[in-house]
Amino acid sequence: MDTAALLSLDHRGARMLERLGAIRRGPVACPTLPPNCTHGEGKEPVELRTLSDTLTRNVTEQADNIAVRLSEHALTWAELDHRSSQMASALTAAGVSAGDRIAFIDKNSVEFFEMVFGAAKIGAVPVPVNWRLAAPEMAYIVNDASAPVLFIHSDFAEHLAAMRGELTSVDHIVVMGDAGDDQAYEEWLAAHSADGFERHQADPHDVALQLYTSGTTGHPKGAQLTHHNATSLIDVASDWGMNAHSVSLAAMPLFHIGGSGWALFGMAMGAETVLLREADLEQLLGDISNYRITHAFLVPAVLQFLQIMPLDGIDLSSMELIVYGASPITEEVLVGSMNMFGCDYMQVYGLTETCGAVTMLPPEDHQPGGDLAELLRAAGKPMPGVELRIVDPETGDDAAEGDVGEVWIKSPTNMAGYWNLPEASAEALPGGGWFRSGDAGYMKNGYLFLHDRVKDMIISGGENIYPAEIENVLMGHDEVADVAVIGVPSEKWGETPKAIVVAAADTTPTAEELIEFCRTRLARFKCPTSVDFVESIPRNPTGKILKRELRA
């Protein structure tokens, strides 16, 4: 790395603190709102207790401002409110009642938010399904959720045809796009008025959203996230500098907490949300430039690949904050991205089961090449209201500072439990408000440092080895474009690390060269004993390496 270049970076942590006064928590005063604020008409600010309150507040305060857009398709807050009320009426007419799950299969779309807020108005629970799954996997989730209504885009007509006979609970299939012989979304919505439903008075601890875990081990599980979970994030993430003047990019898939959670958080803060239908990097850069986006959540893989995109005619100067997380990042990728955007950066760590972020590494801790460079490897400090424990998985006792153990989390954003899985819920939520993350890490000076999933830990000759540490070293090699490390059987040691490498373009690194590279940077027992070369590393939509596929 070029140390001089690192030291020349200008990271404006102070600017984040200056924006704190504009952040809205609970009832707010009019000065933080856009010019068409309606408080002057005698309307009281709306306290956020449920997802429906997000819509009510924004209709009250900025009805004619854009709520959400996908390219040229945009809805104002008033239009989103009206169409979601039509949705509530249509769902009611379909026999949907409070507590019923509503399945949704599509790439990122405006219709998703019509469904989310429409469902919230009658107490139903949205279930966005991973559209990258195979048809049997989609059917499993829809059936597991016992969803009586399925929304699906015609882009997935082949999936629908394959699973149609396997859907055990679905009574109504509503298709966006070319509906064929099924009910067309727009016709279905237009057939219902905006006042044909009885509004459900939700309790903050009712389930608001059911997101299925990525399923890296066995079947995916439905994490039940409550209204309280979702609205608590507003206070937990109180210094992200987002308000009604902000424009938020929702680039991650909405079936993931980094997509839907990020978008709904921005909406709760009054921001305009710009959707990226799928991971089109050219479109992403164009949207930042065209819509003057200020805030975005992006995963490290996206930050990495953006750096090779042409920037002709692209203006990135509107960006104020990039939040990143969901998978490990190397210092090289991070520094390159910071140089590219020149805005504040914040790392977060969280899970679907915690409704997103529970730790934060703020902009002022992003100092590559400086005295605090070590902190770039940290996941951050606990957010307000969050407590962490590092638990020795063998003894169940708290680990000493610096010792690796399982990360336990106590947070107001912890899920209510897994849908219809009492034993798994009891294991994940052992009591006292704690959630067992399954992630391995340690604490140092109040900061959480992550190593890897506990289940991915390699035990070699009695020594615990965490693949992420080896991967981070190998990513520092000029001829490595991507890498994953797994444990493989060894007669002598039980397990040893194997590196699976994607070579950089026009390079031909050797296994011996890469192993020797590691030996100069890691204890010998941590170094790979073998290296395989592949064209690509399998990852899920959030960039996490699918180690199960690699092992298979």
Side-chain angles (χ1 to χ4, degrees):
M1 277 182 291
D2 184 343
T3 303
L6 300 184
L7 293 174
S8 70
L9 289 170
D10 174 24
H11 303 296
R12 296 167 294 281
R15 187 177 69 191
M16 181 69 70
L17 298 176
E18 292 170 3
R19 292 198 297 264
L20 293 184
I23 294 169
R24 305 192 296 157
R25 304 177 191 161
V28 296
C30 195
T32 66
L33 300 171
N36 65 344
C37 171
T38 56
H39 282 181
E41 301 173 12
K43 297 181 180 180
E44 291 298 321
V46 177
E47 183 180 1
L48 298 187
R49 300 175 67 253
T50 69
L51 287 183
S52 290
D53 294 335
T54 291
L55 199 51
T56 302
R57 170 187 278 185
N58 284 297
V59 170
T60 300
E61 297 172 347
Q62 49 170 337
D64 297 327
N65 286 349
I66 298 296
V68 60
R69 73 160 66 242
L70 175 66
S71 297
E72 297 304 311
H73 180 200
L75 293 181
T76 66
W77 289 106
E79 290 167 338
L80 180 57
D81 183 44
H82 180 80
R83 286 177 66 87
S84 64
S85 288
Q86 287 181 284
M87 171 67 71
S89 297
L91 290 172
T92 298
V96 175
S97 57
D100 286 342
R101 270 58 179 166
I102 307 300
F104 187 93
I105 302 175
D106 190 13
K107 299 175 183 179
N108 291 0
S109 66
V110 171
E111 288 82 359
F112 173 79
F113 296 95
E114 296 172 354
M115 184 273 298
V116 164
F117 289 113
K121 288 178 179 181
I122 62 170
V125 180
V127 179
V129 179
N130 183 343
W131 52 264
R132 291 188 172 95
L133 297 177
E137 295 171 306
M138 289 180 175
Y140 173 85
I141 291 176
V142 176
N143 291 338
D144 183 69
S146 300
V149 177
L150 167 63
F151 295 99
I152 187 168
H153 196 278
S154 57
D155 285 354
F156 304 98
E158 291 184 4
H159 292 75
L160 178 59
M163 65 179 172
R164 191 185 295 270
E166 304 301 320
L167 300 175
T168 58
S169 61
V170 173
D171 298 318
H172 301 273
I173 296 174
V174 183
V175 178
M176 296 157 285
D178 183 2
D181 294 331
D182 289 305
Q183 176 68 62
Y185 180 87
E186 286 297 333
E187 294 178 2
W188 186 76
L189 205 65
H192 296 86
S193 70
D195 56 6
F197 70 98
E198 182 177 348
R199 187 177 293 269
H200 177 73
Q201 300 300 317
D203 183 277
H205 296 285
D206 289 344
V207 178
L209 190 64
Q210 187 161 305
L211 297 182
Y212 278 74
T213 59
S214 56
T216 51
T217 56
H219 283 305
K221 301 185 289 290
Q224 301 177 94
L225 305 177
T226 68
H227 293 279
H228 178 67
N229 294 155
T231 57
S232 292
L233 187 61
I234 296 168
D235 289 327
V236 169
S238 59
D239 54 355
W240 294 11
M242 200 183 299
N243 55 46
H245 298 285
S246 303
V247 182
S248 170
L249 175 66
M252 298 297 102
L254 293 173
F255 59 75
H256 184 267
I257 192 65
S260 56
W262 171 261
L264 291 168
F265 166 72
M267 289 178 161
M269 304 306 285
E272 174 184 333
T273 297
V274 176
L275 300 173
L276 193 69
R277 182 155 175 80
E278 54 185 320
D280 183 325
L281 301 185
E282 184 177 355
Q283 182 73 47
L284 188 157
L285 292 172
D287 283 356
I288 291 175
S289 183
N290 294 334
Y291 300 120
R292 310 301 296 157
I293 286 166
T294 60
H295 292 70
F297 172 78
L298 299 172
V299 297
V302 170
L303 295 177
Q304 177 179 350
F305 292 123
L306 282 174
Q307 294 174 47
I308 62 174
M309 295 293 295
L311 295 178
D312 296 341
I314 298 295
D315 181 2
L316 303 177
S317 63
S318 62
M319 288 300 305
E320 297 177 12
L321 176 68
I322 290 178
V323 180
Y324 65 96
S327 61
I329 191 169
T330 66
E331 189 168 340
E332 287 78 8
V333 169
L334 178 59
V335 170
S337 184
M338 292 165 77
N339 277 321
M340 176 180 177
F341 284 95
C343 65
D344 290 335
Y345 273 65
M346 180 187 296
Q347 182 176 185
V348 295
Y349 161 70
L351 303 94
T352 301
E353 292 91 338
T354 62
C355 201
V358 290
T359 72
M360 175 184 70
L361 188 71
E364 55 267 28
D365 284 342
H366 283 70
Q367 297 185 28
D371 294 338
L372 301 180
E374 180 189 12
L375 294 182
L376 291 181
R377 297 193 296 273
K381 288 186 174 182
M383 290 183 169
V386 175
E387 297 178 46
L388 299 179
R389 292 176 62 195
I390 305 299
V391 178
D392 185 320
E394 298 294 331
T395 67
D397 297 329
D398 287 352
E401 177 156 324
D403 287 350
V404 174
E406 184 181 11
V407 181
W408 287 30
I409 301 161
K410 180 186 286 188
S411 169
T413 61
N414 283 356
M415 68 171 180
Y418 295 115
W419 169 253
N420 284 343
L421 291 172
E423 292 183 2
S425 298
E427 182 178 358
L429 300 166
W434 292 98
F435 166 70
R436 297 182 58 182
S437 73
D439 288 330
Y442 64 92
M443 298 294 296
K444 181 178 179 181
N445 298 325
Y447 289 85
L448 173 66
F449 290 79
L450 290 174
H451 268 259
D452 218 321
R453 295 289 295 176
V454 169
K455 61 178 170 38
D456 289 334
M457 183 175 67
I458 301 165
I459 303 177
S460 184
E463 295 284 356
N464 295 342
I465 302 171
Y466 295 91
E469 187 176 7
I470 307 170
E471 290 161 359
N472 198 51
V473 167
L474 283 171
M475 278 300 293
H477 193 286
D478 291 339
E479 296 182 3
V480 173
D482 202 1
V483 62
V485 173
I486 60 173
V488 293
S490 166
E491 289 185 5
K492 183 176 182 179
W493 303 110
E495 282 185 304
T496 57
K498 173 187 281 292
I500 300 169
V501 170
V502 178
D506 301 321
T507 68
T508 55
T510 66
E512 293 75 18
E513 175 188 353
L514 296 181
I515 292 171
E516 185 59 31
F517 182 80
C518 288
R519 286 176 177 171
T520 64
R521 291 159 176 81
L522 291 171
R524 195 177 185 92
F525 74 86
K526 295 182 180 180
C527 296
T529 57
S530 59
V531 179
D532 288 352
F533 293 91
V534 296
E535 292 185 358
S536 64
I537 301 293
R539 296 176 181 270
N540 74 5
T542 64
K544 291 181 181 176
I545 298 169
L546 297 174
K547 301 267 175 102
R548 182 176 60 172
E549 290 189 13
L550 290 175
R551 294 189 190 99

